[in-house]
Amino acid sequence: MRVGTWNLEGRWSQDHLALLAAQECDVWLLTEVRDDTSLPGFESHLTTAKMSERKHWAAVFSRSQIQPLPDPHPASAAAVGMGLVSCSSILPWRTCGTVPWGEGTTTEKTSRALEQLMAALPVGGLVWGGDWNHAMEGSEYAGSLGGRAAIKNVLADRHLQLATNGLPHCIPGLFTIDHLAVPKSAQIVDVTRIVAEDLRGDRLSDHDAYAAEIALT
């Protein structure tokens, strides 16, 4: 199974489609998804809530048939397919405001969002990813160290391993804030950072994409 994540930054074009198609993923956990985003041969489920008029918080796209689940959080989409629950999430960042996060520090907002998410998601049989706005090591640029610790605790509680651990951000010297977590029972065969540029070298998003091939037991 090959699963990927990418923050589309609310953009969509044939170049975006070409980049996604070239990775040959079975499941995409996309964030900041414009409402006309479409992948031929994929079923999709987008969050009910939107970041803006035409931009959904997150979406799950799958080559296999999926059964949409109620959004476990306004900024997360989840669906059942291929024997797994796939969840795509945006988590709070330093300047995120209060909607849909509530009041408090970045750590408090992140912990609260995680608590709501995990109340709705299963223990085991879960693939979870998206733009978490937290690096899992090194300097913390977008999130908070307390938020990072809360995410790591959730990964341990849900028996998940982080496939994207140690991969670089598109900003030199930083680690990725876009992540893929898969069951600890799965073997991570390969994980790749995909530079989000078109053939002319122009950026397609301010985030790179990431994909992991896993073997499920």
Side-chain angles (χ1 to χ4, degrees):
M1 176 181 178
R2 188 166 172 83
V3 58
T5 190
W6 190 17
N7 183 322
L8 292 166
E9 204 187 352
R11 307 181 191 181
W12 187 245
S13 68
Q14 288 300 306
D15 289 323
H16 292 81
L17 174 59
L19 185 146
L20 290 168
Q23 306 313 312
E24 298 184 340
C25 285
D26 301 296
V27 174
W28 278 104
L29 306 177
L30 302 177
T31 52
E32 296 197 33
V33 184
R34 208 167 79 179
D35 56 10
D36 60 346
T37 301
S38 177
L39 298 178
F42 281 74
E43 291 194 7
S44 63
H45 172 57
L46 286 70
T47 55
T48 300
K50 294 182 178 181
M51 298 183 74
S52 60
E53 183 178 355
R54 296 199 60 189
K55 184 167 64 176
H56 296 260
W57 286 95
V60 176
F61 280 74
S62 176
R63 290 188 188 275
S64 300
Q65 185 176 9
I66 56 174
Q67 177 185 347
L69 296 173
D71 294 346
H73 182 275
S76 293
V80 179
M82 301 179 67
L84 297 166
V85 172
S86 296
C87 180
S88 178
S89 298
I90 292 181
L91 295 178
W93 61 101
R94 291 182 184 178
T95 59
C96 66
T98 59
V99 180
W101 316 109
E103 301 286 347
T105 65
T106 306
T107 296
E108 289 168 341
K109 293 173 184 176
T110 302
S111 298
R112 188 161 52 238
L114 290 170
E115 183 178 353
Q116 184 174 341
L117 268 171
M118 295 307 132
L121 294 174
V123 178
L126 175 65
V127 172
W128 178 40
D131 180 3
W132 295 354
N133 283 302
H134 288 75
M136 290 296 105
E137 58 182 285
S139 299
E140 189 53 61
Y141 174 78
S144 67
L145 293 177
R148 177 191 296 183
I151 295 169
K152 288 185 174 182
N153 286 338
V154 163
L155 293 175
D157 289 344
R158 296 288 152 154
H159 307 296
L160 295 171
Q161 57 180 321
L162 193 65
T164 43
N165 194 48
L167 292 184
H169 194 287
C170 60
I171 298 175
L174 297 178
F175 291 98
T176 181
I177 61 174
D178 299 277
H179 292 290
L180 293 167
V182 301
K184 283 187 177 180
S185 59
Q187 177 188 358
I188 300 174
V189 179
D190 179 65
V191 61
T192 307
R193 171 195 174 199
I194 303 107
V195 177
E197 295 179 350
D198 62 19
L199 295 177
R200 300 177 298 277
D202 296 330
R203 292 289 304 182
L204 295 172
S205 169
D206 59 358
H207 294 246
D208 284 334
Y210 299 86
E213 183 178 345
I214 63 173
L216 297 169
T217 57

